[in-house]
């Protein structure tokens, strides 16, 4: 099978120079390995993602020769929810009704009991970062939220399930997601999925040395 890369923007703003660097890096590495790059739109956050941002992103990405159809995450909520239910059946999830201010709400976050999840896996977790074995430490994240009453999935769950579903062998993305990779390898084990190779590249800074953001392209 050909090496497979992906670029997975969230349409909650416009692409900035950092994103373009990331797409180019994906294509550069894919070319070197005679691989291909897929495009995925990560639009599960329906309060922040907007069709006009998606249109602008697709327009900006037109010069890049992506392979195959675009996968749009908002079209697959039922798939993610079913997989999360699988973890629930293992007794690894609980509903947290506490609000940010310490009150109790009707709404809830569906959280992963981190200690129970690690006990369930009961083996060293690691990923391969630029060819080097890197120990994962998901415990630092505590009980991560995997879904909410209003949104039946989360970034972590959807990204892990889609990378596997799309047979992604190489994840090339910004250093801002390096630490989150610990959560991703834990979820890959819990869902019985293979782990791709990872390459977290440096972030592109603006002239003042600050990190670029979508509101500040
Ligand atoms: N959708 C994420 C973002 O726009 C990127 C996810 C990933 O590359 O794993 O920041």
């Amino acid at each position: 099978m050909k090496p497979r890369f992906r670029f997975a923007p969230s349409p909650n703003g416009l692409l900035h120079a950092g994103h373009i660097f990331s797409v180019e890096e994906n294509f550069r590495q894919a070319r070197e390995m005679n691989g291909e790059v897929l495009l995925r739109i990560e639009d599960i956050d329906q309060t922040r993602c907007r069709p006009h941002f998606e249109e602008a992103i697709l327009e900006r990405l037109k010069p890049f020769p992506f392979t195959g159809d675009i996968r749009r995450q908002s079209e697959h909520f039922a798939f993610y929810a079913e997989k999360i239910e699988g973890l629930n059946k293992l007794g690894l999830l609980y509903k947290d009704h506490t609000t940010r201010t310490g009150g109790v709400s009707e709404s809830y976050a569906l959280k992963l009991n981190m200690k129970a999840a690690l006990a369930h896996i009961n083996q060293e977790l690691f990923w391969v970062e630029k060819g080097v074995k890197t120990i994962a430490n998901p415990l630092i994240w505590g009980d991560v939220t995997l879904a909410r009453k209003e949104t039946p999935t989360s970034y972590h769950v959807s990204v892990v399930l889609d990378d596997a579903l799309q047979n992604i062998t190489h994840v090339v993305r910004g250093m801002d997601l390096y630490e989150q990779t610990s959560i991703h390898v834990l979820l890959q084990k819990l869902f019985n999925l293979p782990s791709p190779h990872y390459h977290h590249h440096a972030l592109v800074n603006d002239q003042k040395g600050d990190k670029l953001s979508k509101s500040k392209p």
Side-chain angles (χ1 to χ4, degrees):
M1 213 178 60
K2 269 190 175 187
R4 270 206 169 166
F5 294 71
R6 82 329 186 245
F7 182 60
S10 299
N12 53 15
L14 299 172
L15 296 184
H16 55 61
H19 293 107
I20 300 306
F21 175 80
S22 200
V23 193
E24 285 173 347
E25 189 56 24
N26 270 280
F27 275 97
R28 191 188 65 74
Q29 293 193 25
R31 257 193 314 272
E32 252 176 25
M33 298 175 68
N34 197 21
E36 55 195 10
V37 187
L38 276 62
L39 177 59
R40 181 195 309 148
I41 298 293
E42 300 206 327
D43 58 350
I44 57 167
D45 185 347
Q46 300 276 283
T47 57
R48 295 174 62 221
C49 293
R50 294 276 176 276
H52 70 273
F53 286 136
E54 183 180 319
E55 275 162 38
I57 288 173
L58 295 181
E59 187 58 33
R60 182 68 187 82
L61 293 176
K62 261 194 185 150
F64 295 93
F66 288 100
T67 299
D69 293 335
I70 298 171
R71 180 172 171 86
R72 202 167 275 102
Q73 290 190 327
S74 60
E75 293 167 4
H76 303 283
F77 281 121
F79 166 69
Y80 307 125
E82 188 193 313
K83 296 290 180 185
I84 291 173
E85 183 48 30
L87 298 186
N88 197 24
K89 288 212 174 95
L90 293 174
L92 300 178
L93 307 185
Y94 67 94
K95 285 180 184 167
D96 183 356
H97 286 271
T98 47
T99 64
R100 282 201 182 92
T101 51
V104 176
S105 113
E106 260 289 289
S107 186
Y108 59 82
L110 200 54
K111 291 192 168 174
L112 179 68
N113 181 333
M114 184 57 81
K115 287 201 175 130
L118 291 173
H120 181 81
I121 297 299
N122 195 25
Q123 59 176 277
E124 182 185 62
L125 288 168
F126 66 92
W127 76 88
V128 178
E129 175 75 29
K130 300 178 189 129
V132 177
K133 180 176 169 180
T134 304
I135 303 297
N137 185 13
L139 204 54
I140 56 166
W141 291 98
D143 292 354
V144 282
T145 296
L146 297 191
R148 292 184 185 278
K149 186 172 180 227
E150 307 73 26
T151 310
T153 186
S154 56
Y155 158 61
H156 300 305
V157 167
S158 308
V159 81
V160 157
L161 291 176
D162 283 357
D163 283 341
L165 185 85
Q166 297 187 292
N167 295 314
I168 301 302
T169 57
H170 292 74
V171 170
V172 175
R173 61 187 179 189
M175 201 59 194
D176 51 338
L177 293 168
Y178 179 89
E179 296 289 351
Q180 278 92 325
T181 311
S182 281
I183 302 169
H184 300 169
V185 292
L186 169 63
L187 289 174
Q188 283 152 4
K189 277 277 176 277
L190 290 172
F191 287 128
N192 263 319
L193 300 171
S195 295
H197 293 270
Y198 286 92
H199 176 119
H200 292 90
H201 57 72
L203 299 176
V204 177
N205 291 334
D206 66 13
Q207 281 161 342
K208 281 196 268 157
D210 292 332
K211 191 186 139 191
L212 291 174
S213 75
K214 284 193 168 141
S215 51
K216 224 177 40 168

